[in-house]
C-alpha cells in the first residue's frame, strides 16, 4: 500500500508515540486492504503492558488495563479506544483460556492467531507483513486456519463458530480442511460459555446472503456441530419457509424471528432455549408473545392489534405461517389487512 495511505489522526498519533515498535493487526488491516469501513483499530506492540502504560502516560494519553494479564492495554485518544496488545505466545490452553508468554517477535505472535486473513500486520508506513499468505487468501476469498487446523481449534473452540462467521463474510465457500478439523473437534464446543456461543451464533444468523447462509447452517447441522451447541436441533426448513416470504413480498425478518423459526416452530422446551441463547428479558417476552399469539384468521389479527404494535403482529403472522397454521395466500391476505390499519 505504501506512501499514499493516510491513517485517521488517532492511529497516526499512536504510531508517532511508538514508532516502529508497533503495528496495526488483524481485522483493521484486512478491511483496509478491502477498502471496507474500519470500526476498530487494534495494535500489536513489542513492549510489555507496564511499559505500554508508561509510554502512553509520558505522551499524555490515558490508558486502561482492560486485559493486562493477556497483554492488552486500551489507549484512549480523543475519546476513542484503541487496543494495544503485547506480542505473545499462547503457551498453554484448555480450549477456553490461554496462559500467555510475552515475546517481541511479530511472526510468533502471528502463529497464535486463528485465520491467515486475520494475521496481517501493517506498520506506520503502510507496509504489510504477511507470514501465512493471508493477502492471497483475501484476494481469492478463502478462510483458512493458520498451520494445523485441529491445533488452532483446540486452543480455543470458539474458533469453530468464527470459522463459519468469517467464511460467510470473506470466503466463497467453506474450506474442506477446516470442516474436517471441526468434525474431529466439535465435542470441545461444550466447554464454551453460553455468552460466547450467543455472540458468534447471532452474528452467523444475521448474515443476509441467504443461499450461503443456508449452506453454512446445513454444514453445521450435517457435521452435528449444533448438537454440541443446542439441545434443540436447527430447523433449517422452517427458516427457509420464513425467507420465502422475504423473497416474495419483501418481508423483513428480524434476528429474533429467525431464531424463533430455527428453534421454536416445533415443540421446544422454552426454558432450555432461553438458557442456551442467554435470552434477555426483552427477548423472553418476544418469544413468549410468539408462542401465545398464533394467528389463524382475521379475528385473531384484530385482537392482536388491540394489544400489540403492527410490527409485532406481522411477526405473529409470519410465525403462524412457518408453523403451518395458515397457508401463504392467507398470510398475504392478512398482511394486507395489517398494512391498511
Amino acid at each position: 500500500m505504501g506512501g499514499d495511505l493516510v491513517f485517521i489522526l488517532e492511529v497516526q498519533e499512536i504510531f508517532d508515540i511508538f514508532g516502529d515498535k508497533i503495528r496495526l493487526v488483524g481485522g483493521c488491516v484486512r478491511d483496509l486492504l478491502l477498502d471496507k469501513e474500519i470500526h476498530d483499530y487494534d495494535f500489536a506492540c513489542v513492549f510489555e503492558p507496564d511499559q505500554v502504560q508508561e509510554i502512553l502516560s509520558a505522551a499524555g494519553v490515558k490508558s486502561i488495563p482492560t486485559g493486562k494479564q493477556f497483554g492488552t492495554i486500551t489507549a484512549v485518544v480523543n475519546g476513542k479506544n484503541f487496543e494495544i496488545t503485547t506480542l505473545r505466545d499462547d503457551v498453554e490452553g484448555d480450549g477456553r483460556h490461554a496462559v500467555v508468554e510475552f515475546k517481541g517477535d511479530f511472526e510468533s505472535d502471528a502463529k497464535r492467531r486463528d485465520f491467515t486473513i486475520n494475521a496481517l500486520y501493517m506498520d506506520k508506513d503502510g507496509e504489510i507483513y504477511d507470514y501465512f499468505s493471508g493477502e492471497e487468501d483475501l484476494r481469492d476469498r478463502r478462510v483458512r486456519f493458520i498451520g494445523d487446523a485441529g491445533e488452532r481449534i483446540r486452543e480455543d473452540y470458539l474458533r469453530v463458530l468464527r470459522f463459519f462467521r468469517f467464511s460467510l463474510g470473506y470466503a466463497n465457500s467453506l474450506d474442506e480442511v477446516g470442516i474436517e478439523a471441526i468434525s474431529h473437534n466439535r465435542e470441545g464446543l461444550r466447554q464454551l460459555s453460553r455468552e460466547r456461543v450467543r455472540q458468534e451464533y447471532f452474528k452467523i444468523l444475521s448474515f443476509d446472503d441467504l443461499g450461503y447462509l443456508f449452506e453454512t447452517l446445513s454444514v453445521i447441522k450435517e457435521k452435528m456441530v449444533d448438537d454440541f451447541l443446542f439441545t434443540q436441533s436447527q430447523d433449517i426448513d422452517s427458516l427457509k419457509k420464513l425467507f420465502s416470504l422475504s423473497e416474495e413480498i419483501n418481508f423483513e425478518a428480524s434476528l429474533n424471528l429467525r431464531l424463533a423459526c430455527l428453534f421454536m416452530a416445533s415443540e421446544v422446551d422454552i426454558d432450555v432455549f432461553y438458557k442456551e441463547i442467554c435470552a434477555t428479558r426483552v427477548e423472553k417476552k418476544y418469544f413468549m408473545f410468539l408462542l401465545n399469539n398464533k394467528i389463524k384468521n382475521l379475528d385473531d389479527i384484530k385482537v392482536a392489534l388491540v394489544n400489540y404494535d403492527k410490527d409485532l403482529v406481522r411477526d405473529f403472522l409470519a410465525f403462524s405461517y412457518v408453523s403451518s397454521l395458515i397457508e401463504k395466500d392467507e398470510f398475504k391476505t392478512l398482511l394486507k389487512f395489517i398494512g391498511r390499519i
Side-chain angles (χ1 to χ4, degrees):
M1 295 184 66
D4 59 350
L5 179 69
V6 178
F7 294 114
I8 65 170
L9 291 176
E10 292 82 6
V11 168
Q12 189 60 59
E13 182 172 344
I14 292 173
F15 273 130
D16 289 342
I17 292 170
F18 290 94
D20 60 3
K21 304 298 184 183
I22 198 168
R23 295 175 187 171
L24 288 169
V25 65
C28 60
V29 179
R30 179 193 67 226
D31 290 342
L32 277 168
L33 290 172
L34 294 173
D35 291 324
K36 286 191 171 188
E37 181 181 359
I38 312 299
H39 299 287
D40 297 297
Y41 288 87
D42 296 325
F43 291 86
C45 182
V46 303
F47 297 113
E48 295 199 9
D50 286 335
Q51 294 174 291
V52 170
Q53 288 195 281
E54 290 170 5
I55 292 168
L56 289 172
S57 178
V61 175
K62 177 183 176 181
S63 67
I64 306 169
T66 44
K68 194 170 184 177
Q69 71 273 34
F70 300 112
T72 300
I73 301 297
T74 297
V76 184
V77 184
N78 296 335
K80 300 175 184 176
N81 292 344
F82 299 87
E83 287 191 355
I84 301 174
T85 301
T86 302
L87 300 177
R88 72 185 210 201
D89 233 349
D90 294 340
V91 295
E92 185 181 331
D94 60 5
R96 291 180 63 185
H97 309 101
V99 176
V100 305
E101 177 182 297
F102 299 135
K103 287 187 173 181
D105 180 346
F106 283 99
E107 186 168 357
S108 293
D109 186 75
K111 286 179 182 177
R112 71 175 179 82
R113 297 181 181 271
D114 49 12
F115 311 116
T116 62
I117 64 170
N118 289 341
L120 297 166
Y121 298 74
M122 180 184 289
D123 67 15
K124 59 186 176 62
D125 299 316
E127 184 75 23
I128 298 294
Y129 298 83
D130 178 9
Y131 303 101
F132 302 105
S133 302
E135 277 194 274
E136 181 181 344
D137 286 342
L138 202 57
R139 285 193 301 270
D140 293 341
R141 292 192 60 79
R142 288 192 300 259
V143 171
R144 294 188 301 118
F145 285 100
I146 291 171
D148 184 281
E151 287 183 19
R152 296 292 81 72
I153 291 169
R154 289 188 291 275
E155 288 165 356
D156 182 355
Y157 288 103
L158 194 68
R159 287 173 172 171
V160 169
L161 292 176
R162 285 172 59 83
F163 169 81
F164 290 116
R165 173 164 70 87
F166 278 96
S167 294
L168 281 166
Y170 296 95
N172 291 322
S173 61
L174 299 173
D175 176 62
E176 290 296 331
V177 174
I179 293 297
E180 185 68 18
I182 286 168
S183 296
H184 288 108
N185 291 280
R186 60 196 174 203
E187 294 86 353
L189 291 166
R190 295 196 192 281
Q191 300 181 26
L192 296 175
S193 71
R194 300 315 307 178
E195 291 81 7
R196 296 183 84 199
V197 170
R198 171 194 167 100
Q199 182 181 41
E200 290 296 328
Y201 190 77
F202 278 27
K203 289 176 181 178
I204 291 170
L205 200 55
S206 298
F207 198 71
D208 286 326
D209 182 336
L210 300 184
Y212 198 4
L213 174 61
F214 292 139
E215 176 190 339
T216 300
L217 292 176
S218 295
V219 170
I220 289 173
K221 188 178 181 72
E222 176 192 334
K223 299 300 181 180
M224 297 187 293
V225 171
D226 57 345
D227 289 348
F228 296 91
L229 295 172
F230 306 109
T231 302
Q232 187 87 1
S233 186
Q234 297 176 116
D235 186 347
I236 298 172
D237 287 339
S238 289
L239 187 63
K240 288 181 177 179
K241 193 172 180 180
L242 171 68
F243 280 114
S244 72
L245 301 177
S246 303
E247 294 165 0
E248 291 189 19
I249 54 179
N250 198 29
F251 182 83
E252 291 271 342
S254 67
L255 175 60
N256 280 341
L257 186 54
R258 297 181 188 199
L259 279 166
C261 292
L262 261 182
F263 294 105
M264 293 169 52
S266 55
E267 187 174 342
V268 62
D269 185 327
I270 194 66
D271 290 325
V272 172
F273 174 67
Y274 289 161
K275 181 179 179 181
E276 289 183 341
I277 68 163
C278 298
T280 66
R281 185 172 61 178
V282 171
E283 289 165 349
K284 289 178 181 179
K285 287 178 66 175
Y286 174 88
F287 293 126
M288 194 56 66
F289 287 157
L290 287 189
L291 289 177
N292 293 336
N293 290 274
K294 301 291 178 60
I295 303 293
K296 298 178 183 177
N297 51 48
L298 187 58
D299 289 338
D300 291 340
I301 287 281
K302 290 177 179 177
V303 171
L305 286 168
V306 171
N307 298 298
Y308 306 106
D309 66 45
K310 289 197 293 184
D311 288 341
L312 192 52
V313 176
R314 287 190 188 98
D315 283 5
F316 296 162
L317 182 60
F319 191 63
S320 295
Y321 166 68
V322 171
S323 302
S324 299
L325 295 178
I326 57 174
E327 297 298 323
K328 186 171 287 187
D329 287 344
E330 294 173 284
F331 172 86
K332 291 179 180 179
T333 299
L334 294 173
L335 188 65
K336 286 180 183 177
F337 176 80
I338 296 172
R340 291 196 297 268
I341 301 300

